[in-house]
Each structure stands twice: as structure tokens, then as C-alpha cells.
């Protein structure tokens, strides 16, 4: 993009206030990495699990597109369990239309998380081909990954977490992994067609049909704490999923972190990406919800997104909920990766392109400049690295006295101006 000095001149006198570092204190229950293999081995040693896996069976193990803590290790543990029973495991990507809705793209996502044939010790069979397995209770056709459907059994590896676009008894978790993850492009599209307004109904509607008509054996979901660390792993038989998943979701909500100030004029997000959230930046943190069927997070007038994570491979979904971004972000965008996800879920707002400024400094300035009814000399600004890691954040000087009354906020530095390089980008 060519230089736009006139645009820069409109904002270059806008003051960016001093900011200071703050540590947010959250509960931190945690399972140590070295404990995970023995824990999963113990969980799956129960007879109700061991009796379902026999020598020679072909067992599909699911792995999704989210940046789940220890996902390569937990997947490998499931592979090792299947092998220990004399069965033959393989991993299938269960991520709906993600990865550009291509088999290659979905395999690459798994490899980016360390789920490779060499590490887990079994093949990864990535395909967008689906198979009809039956009808749900309302008579709609139900599809899942063809390779999984034709296996002798399916083990669901996943994480239970609050969703970013709706609320219900089942959100991101086991039911959704079956309904949308295993459904691939076609299954995801069928479920999304009715919109997020009906997602709380459709996920269990299709999920129950998959339990009934597909060879689902059991699930091994994880829950994470506020620091993106594994804090709970359970094993749930297929006939227990409907009853037990809602309680796991409640527990996941209890560990959900948040920005411990309720509102700001401008929220600065250093990076967004699919590895942080399916929405690029988790609206449960940032308040940037794509639908009216969920709420929460910090309230802000403007949001500045400064960069994409390397792990997102140009998928800038979620950028549409920013007020401003940088030319650096624009140049990285892979529209072929972004658009299939948006089209499939029928929500196009996340792939819109906000105002593009040449540098970090200008993106921040234009957000401050365009806020209404604020103190422009002392704007309330919150800066986070991304929506997944918010233990350490930055606040503008206007919060200095206010946060002394907020429990679990620890000031870590004196206020000082942000450092920008010659091009106007943050050091």
C-alpha cells in the first residue's frame, strides 16, 4: 500500500498516554506435563473403557483446530492406549471447515500443534469426505468424517470451554467436536445454516444422533485454567456424554480469565490468531462478540489489532471486530483461509477489513482520535498480548488510582510512554 501522509497527519498529534504493567492474579490449579501420561493411563484402565477396544480394531482419534494445551501429548496418550489393547489407531482432524476447508490445510494445522505421525506414532488420515450415518430426531441428515464413520470405534479428544458466539448447556466441547468437528465442511454447514440463534439446540440434536449412529466409544476432554494450562482431564463413556458435559462446562466457566477492569476507551490487542481463539481474539475476554447470543468481556469503544500470530498462517478471522489495524496485518492476510470458515458458519463480520493504518502507533492513535465523550488527554487504554494470555497486561495512567481498590491486580511498573521504532511500530 502506498504512503498516506494526509491520513497520518489527521492523527499524529493524538496523545498516547503513559502506561504501566499489571499482573492479574487468577486461581491456578494445574496438572504437570509429566503427570499426564500416567493420569490418562489410569483413567482408561477402567473396565468400561478397556472392554471396548479389542485387538485388530481400527480406532479413529479426533484432534481439533484449537490451540489446546498439551494437545500433542494427550493425543499421543490416546494412541498409546489403543496400541496397548492391540488395536490400530489413526488420527482424524475434527475441525469442520477450518484449514481452508481442505485436507492439506487441516493436516498442517495439526502438524503445527506437534501432532505428527513421527511423534504420535500412528497415521493422520486427513480428508474432507463425509458419510451420512443417519438422521437426527428432527429428521435432518447427519454426516461425519468418512474415515471415522467406517472405523470400528471413535475416541474423542477435545477441550471443554465456553463458546464465543452462543450460550447453552453444550458449547465448545464433546458434543460440538462430534457435530461440527467431525462433520467437516458439510456437517458444519448443515448445523450453522440455522444460525447461532439455534446453535444451543442443534449441537446436542446432532451430537446425540452421532452417539446413536456412529461408533463413538468414549471421550477424553480436558479443561484449562486461566493460564492456558491443563487443569483437569476426565474420561467419559459415550452413554455419559449427554449428562456429564454440562457440568464440565460450568467448571470451565469458573476458570475463565478476564480483564479485571470492566471498561476502557481503547483496547489494544497485540496479536490475534486461530491458536488463541476460533474467533482470533476470544470475545469472552475482549467483548468483541460476533452475535447477540453471547455476552461478557471488557467493554470498549475501539479495538486496535496490531498483528497476526505466526501460527494462524494468515487466517485473520476476527479482524472484522477491530476498529483499526496495521498495514502489516493486511499484508499477511490469507483470504482463502479466512473466507471458508466465515461462509460455513454464516457470520461474515469477522472477516471484514477495518481501517488500515501504516503503523502500530497510527492504529492506536486513530482509535483514540475517534472515541466519543472521553478525556482525550487521559484516555483509558488497556493493552493485552493476545486474548489467551492475560496474566500480564498494561493499563494507561488514568487507571493508576482506580485499580488500587481492585483485588487481584498487582502493579509491576511505573507509568511510562510506549516505545516505538522509526517506523512507528512497538518495540
Amino acid at each position: 500500500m502506498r504512503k498516506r501522509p494526509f491520513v497520518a497527519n489527521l492523527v499524529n498529534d493524538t496523545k498516547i498516554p503513559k502506561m504501566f504493567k499489571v499482573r492479574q492474579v487468577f486461581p491456578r490449579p494445574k496438572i504437570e506435563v509429566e503427570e499426564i501420561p500416567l493420569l490418562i493411563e489410569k483413567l482408561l484402565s477402567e473396565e468400561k473403557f478397556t472392554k471396548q477396544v479389542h485387538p485388530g480394531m481400527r480406532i479413529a482419534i479426533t484432534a481439533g483446530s484449537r490451540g489446546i494445551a498439551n494437545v500433542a501429548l494427550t493425543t499421543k496418550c490416546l494412541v498409546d492406549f489403543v496400541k496397548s489393547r492391540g488395536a490400530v489407531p489413526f488420527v482424524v482432524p475434527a475441525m469442520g471447515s477450518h484449514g481452508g476447508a481442505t485436507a492439506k490445510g487441516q493436516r498442517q494445522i495439526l502438524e503445527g500443534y506437534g501432532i505428527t505421525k513421527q511423534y504420535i506414532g500412528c497415521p493422520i488420515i486427513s480428508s474432507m469426505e463425509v458419510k451420512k450415518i443417519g438422521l437426527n430426531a428432527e429428521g435432518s441428515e447427519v454426516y461425519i468424517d468418512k474415515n471415522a464413520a467406517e472405523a470400528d470405534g471413535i475416541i474423542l479428544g477435545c477441550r471443554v470451554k465456553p463458546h464465543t458466539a452462543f450460550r447453552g448447556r453444550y458449547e465448545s466441547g464433546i458434543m460440538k467436536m462430534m457435530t461440527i468437528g467431525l462433520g467437516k465442511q458439510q456437517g458444519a454447514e448443515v448445523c450453522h445454516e440455522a444460525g447461532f440463534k439455534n446453535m444451543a439446540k442443534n449441537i446436542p440434536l446432532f451430537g446425540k444422533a452421532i452417539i446413536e449412529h456412529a461408533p463413538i466409544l468414549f471421550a477424553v476432554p480436558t479443561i484449562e485454567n486461566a493460564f492456558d494450562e491443563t487443569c483437569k482431564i476426565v474420561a467419559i463413556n459415550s452413554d455419559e456424554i449427554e449428562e456429564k458435559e454440562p457440568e464440565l462446562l460450568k467448571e470451565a466457566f469458573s476458570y475463565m480469565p478476564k480483564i479485571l477492569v470492566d471498561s476502557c476507551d481503547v483496547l489494544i490487542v497485540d496479536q490475534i490468531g486461530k491458536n488463541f481463539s476460533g474467533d482470533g481474539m476470544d470475545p469472552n475476554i475482549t467483548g468483541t462478540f460476533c452475535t447477540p447470543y453471547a455476552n461478557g468481556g471488557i467493554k470498549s469503544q475501539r479495538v486496535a489489532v496490531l498483528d497476526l500470530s505466526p501460527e494462524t498462517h494468515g487466517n485473520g478471522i476476527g479482524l472484522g471486530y477491530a476498529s483499526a489495524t496495521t498495514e502489516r496485518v493486511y499484508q499477511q492476510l490469507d483470504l482463502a483461509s479466512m473466507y471458508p470458515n466465515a461462509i460455513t458458519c454464516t457470520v461474515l463480520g469477522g472477516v471484514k477489513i477495518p481501517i488500515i493504518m501504516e503503523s502500530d502507533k497510527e492504529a492506536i492513535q486513530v482509535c483514540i482520535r475517534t472515541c466519543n465523550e472521553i478525556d482525550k488527554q487521559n484516555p483509558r487504554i488497556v493493552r493485552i498480548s493476545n486474548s489467551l494470555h492475560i496474566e500480564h497486561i498494561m493499563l494507561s495512567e488514568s487507571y493508576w488510582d482506580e485499580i488500587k481498590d481492585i483485588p487481584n491486580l498487582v502493579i509491576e511498573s511505573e507509568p511510562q510512554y510506549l516505545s516505538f521504532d522509526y517506523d512507528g511500530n512497538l518495540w
Side-chain angles (χ1 to χ4, degrees):
M1 299 178 70
R2 64 185 179 85
K3 296 289 184 181
R4 296 155 294 171
F6 177 72
V7 176
N9 288 340
L10 291 174
V11 301
N12 62 12
D13 290 334
T14 301
K15 177 185 176 182
I16 299 177
K18 291 181 179 180
M19 301 193 70
F20 60 98
K21 296 178 182 178
V22 172
R23 180 168 63 89
Q24 302 197 117
V25 180
F26 303 112
R28 198 167 187 168
K30 178 184 176 182
I31 300 173
E32 298 296 337
V33 175
E34 59 270 19
E35 297 173 349
I36 291 175
L38 286 177
L39 174 57
I40 293 179
E41 181 180 350
K42 181 180 179 181
L43 290 170
L44 298 182
S45 66
E46 289 189 46
E47 184 183 3
K48 65 180 176 181
F49 303 122
T50 59
K51 71 180 182 181
Q52 297 185 71
V53 182
H54 307 294
M57 291 177 67
R58 292 185 70 253
I59 305 294
I61 299 169
T62 65
S65 59
R66 302 296 187 247
I68 301 173
N70 303 306
V71 66
L73 177 58
T74 55
T75 303
K76 183 180 186 302
C77 290
L78 298 181
V79 169
D80 291 344
F81 166 76
V82 171
K83 286 182 174 180
S84 73
R85 302 296 300 165
V88 181
F90 64 96
V91 166
V92 294
M95 57 184 75
S97 64
H98 296 176
T102 67
K104 180 180 179 181
Q106 297 199 346
R107 177 187 289 272
Q108 287 175 338
I109 287 176
L110 295 190
E111 290 174 347
Y113 294 142
I115 302 175
T116 64
K117 179 180 179 180
Q118 292 74 20
Y119 176 72
I120 61 175
C122 78
I124 299 170
I125 302 180
S126 184
S127 169
M128 298 304 294
E129 189 174 1
V130 294
K131 181 176 181 178
K132 176 184 171 182
I133 59 169
L135 305 176
N136 66 25
E138 293 186 350
S140 297
E141 296 180 336
V142 181
Y143 295 85
I144 66 169
D145 178 283
K146 183 175 185 293
N147 293 294
E150 294 177 351
D152 298 310
I154 301 171
I155 297 174
L156 303 165
C158 61
R159 173 184 60 191
V160 176
K161 188 177 183 181
H163 199 271
T164 58
F166 73 94
R167 292 289 175 258
R169 295 186 71 232
Y170 308 90
E171 296 184 17
S172 288
I174 308 168
M175 287 284 193
K176 182 172 178 285
M177 171 64 84
M178 292 186 289
T179 299
I180 294 176
L182 274 176
K184 312 298 275 194
Q185 169 74 20
Q186 186 168 348
E189 194 163 19
V190 168
C191 193
H192 278 102
E193 190 174 11
F196 280 103
K197 179 181 179 180
N198 295 296
M199 194 65 73
K201 180 194 79 169
N202 282 334
I203 281 184
L205 179 67
F206 281 82
K208 292 174 189 177
I210 292 170
I211 291 172
E212 180 181 354
H213 298 296
I216 304 295
L217 303 182
F218 51 85
V220 184
T222 66
I223 294 177
E224 294 174 6
N225 62 23
F227 300 88
D228 184 34
E229 299 165 334
T230 307
C231 67
K232 187 167 187 174
I233 304 175
V234 296
I236 303 176
N237 208 39
S238 60
D239 60 359
E240 301 173 316
I241 293 172
E242 182 180 356
E243 176 189 353
K244 291 189 175 181
E245 184 175 354
E247 292 304 312
L248 293 176
L249 179 60
K250 290 179 183 178
E251 190 169 352
F253 260 107
S254 73
Y255 293 125
M256 192 79 182
K258 65 178 182 177
I259 298 170
L260 296 176
V261 294
D262 293 333
S263 64
C264 63
D265 301 323
V266 177
L267 173 66
I268 301 170
V269 184
D270 288 355
Q271 288 188 336
I272 65 171
K274 296 290 286 187
N275 55 312
F276 303 131
S277 169
D279 286 39
M281 50 182 169
D282 188 341
N284 291 301
I285 305 299
T286 61
T288 51
F289 287 94
C290 63
T291 76
Y293 309 114
N295 55 63
I298 191 170
K299 294 179 175 61
S300 63
Q301 275 201 50
R302 298 285 184 263
V303 178
V305 168
L306 307 183
D307 207 348
L308 302 184
S309 68
E311 295 85 353
T312 203
H313 302 294
N315 189 335
I317 197 163
L319 184 62
Y321 304 113
S323 312
T325 191
T326 63
E327 185 174 343
R328 180 174 63 252
V329 168
Y330 179 75
Q331 295 296 340
Q332 293 179 73
L333 293 177
D334 179 359
L335 302 185
S337 177
M338 292 169 63
Y339 287 174
N341 193 186
I343 292 169
T344 300
C345 75
T346 72
V347 178
L348 303 183
V351 294
K352 293 180 179 179
I353 308 298
I355 188 170
I356 303 166
M357 304 302 285
E358 291 183 13
S359 66
D360 296 342
K361 186 176 184 180
E362 289 182 12
I364 297 168
Q365 287 176 314
V366 78
C367 285
I368 299 171
R369 170 75 170 75
T370 58
C371 279
N372 302 125
E373 298 182 304
I374 71 167
D375 183 351
K376 294 290 179 69
Q377 295 305 308
N378 296 287
R380 292 160 59 85
I381 298 179
V382 175
R383 180 186 175 192
I384 63 175
S385 298
N386 56 69
S387 66
L388 192 59
H389 305 109
I390 60 169
E391 178 186 11
H392 299 279
I393 65 173
M394 296 190 76
L395 301 175
S396 60
E397 197 169 15
S398 57
Y399 285 102
W400 183 265
D401 292 328
E402 176 183 330
I403 71 162
K404 292 176 182 176
D405 297 324
I406 300 179
N408 301 327
L409 280 181
V410 180
I411 295 174
E412 294 188 309
S413 74
E414 294 293 319
Q416 54 187 310
Y417 290 113
L418 297 175
S419 296
F420 297 95
D421 63 19
Y422 177 79
D423 295 319
N425 294 317
L426 286 161
W427 288 103

